[in-house]
């Protein structure tokens, strides 16, 4: 379990950060960029939760927030460390099952969706964009050194999950805000 008695340690004052295995890396490294993007995604999901009514979507998002901490620990642990906390296939599969369940009641897409509607829906769309950025950062890290393949799949699936969750919530609020190609061109 985590126990933090002191918030500041001064060990990072020189621009390095400690990893789970005790090694240190530059705060500007690809690993720290990926960890930071995952942390930001978690924070944006927290803001979205604050704008939503309690229910299934909030419960799912709370579980996802917990898993994003698992994912951060995964990314903070270099490959090959025994007993490391890693994202596992079942977590990716659960996201897929939730996507399928939410998507069942939705009409097929006939247009791209503008990220808007209610505050909660808009914030879930924002979280989706931040998750995409986190995925790009994790892919960049993976190009430099190995990353758990389930962690990469989780981020990919999570952005899909957030997209469908936004649609699911929007459906209960009157529907998606649809893109109207060329609507302001004056043709």
């Amino acid at each position: 379990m985590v126990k933090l008695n002191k918030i500041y340690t001064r060990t990072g004052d020189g621009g390095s950060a400690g990893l789970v295995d005790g090694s240190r890396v530059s705060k500007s490294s690809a690993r720290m960029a990926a960890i930071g993007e995952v942390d930001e995604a978690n924070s944006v999901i927290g803001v979205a939760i604050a704008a939503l009514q309690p229910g299934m979507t909030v419960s799912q998002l709370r579980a996802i927030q917990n898993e994003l901490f698992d994912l951060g620990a995964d990314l903070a642990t270099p490959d090959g460390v025994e007993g490391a906390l890693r994202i596992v296939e079942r977590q990716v599969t659960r996201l897929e099952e939730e996507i399928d369940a939410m998507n069942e009641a939705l009409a097929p897409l006939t247009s791209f969706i503008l990220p808007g509607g209610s505050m909660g829906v808009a914030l879930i769309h924002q979280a989706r964009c931040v998750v995409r950025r986190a995925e790009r950062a994790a892919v960049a890290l993976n190009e430099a050194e190995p990353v758990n393949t389930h962690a990469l799949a989780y981020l990919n699936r999570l952005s899909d999950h957030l997209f469908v969750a936004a649609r699911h919530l929007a459906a209960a609020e009157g529907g998606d805000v649809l893109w109207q190609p060329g609507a302001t061109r004056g043709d």
Side-chain angles (χ1 to χ4, degrees), residues 30 43 46 141-142 154:
S43 294
L141 170 59
N142 189 54
Y154 185 89

Side-chain angles (χ1 to χ4, degrees), residues 162-178:
L162 293 170
F163 178 76
V164 175
R167 289 200 69 218
H168 178 74
L169 289 170
E173 299 170 358
D176 296 312
V177 179
L178 300 178

Side-chain angles (χ1 to χ4, degrees), residues 11 29 42 93 126 156:
T11 58
S29 70
N42 203 340
T93 304
Q126 183 179 20
N156 190 354

Side-chain angles (χ1 to χ4, degrees), residues 150-166:
H150 299 306
L152 295 174
Y154 185 89
L155 284 167
N156 190 354
R157 216 67 78 248
L158 179 55
S159 61
D160 296 334
H161 188 286
L162 293 170
F163 178 76
V164 175

Side-chain angles (χ1 to χ4, degrees), residues 113-123 125 166 169-171 173-178:
I113 295 171
L114 300 179
S118 69
M119 180 63 76
V121 171
L123 288 168
H125 278 295
L169 289 170
E173 299 170 358
D176 296 312
V177 179
L178 300 178

Side-chain angles (χ1 to χ4, degrees), residues 16-87:
S16 69
L19 299 179
V20 172
D21 69 348
S23 65
R24 298 196 67 79
V25 296
S26 171
K27 289 183 178 183
S28 67
S29 70
R31 184 174 300 280
M32 293 310 297
I35 293 166
E37 299 294 352
V38 168
D39 188 32
E40 184 178 353
N42 203 340
S43 294
V44 175
I45 289 170
V47 173
I49 289 169
L52 297 173
Q53 297 298 316
M56 179 190 66
T57 301
V58 168
S59 296
Q60 290 174 348
L61 293 175
R62 286 272 182 231
I64 287 166
Q65 282 192 297
N66 195 76
E67 288 172 335
L68 286 173
F69 263 84
D70 291 351
L71 178 59
D74 190 331
L75 294 173
T77 308
D79 190 42
V81 174
E82 284 291 317
L85 179 59
R86 301 285 185 199
I87 293 293

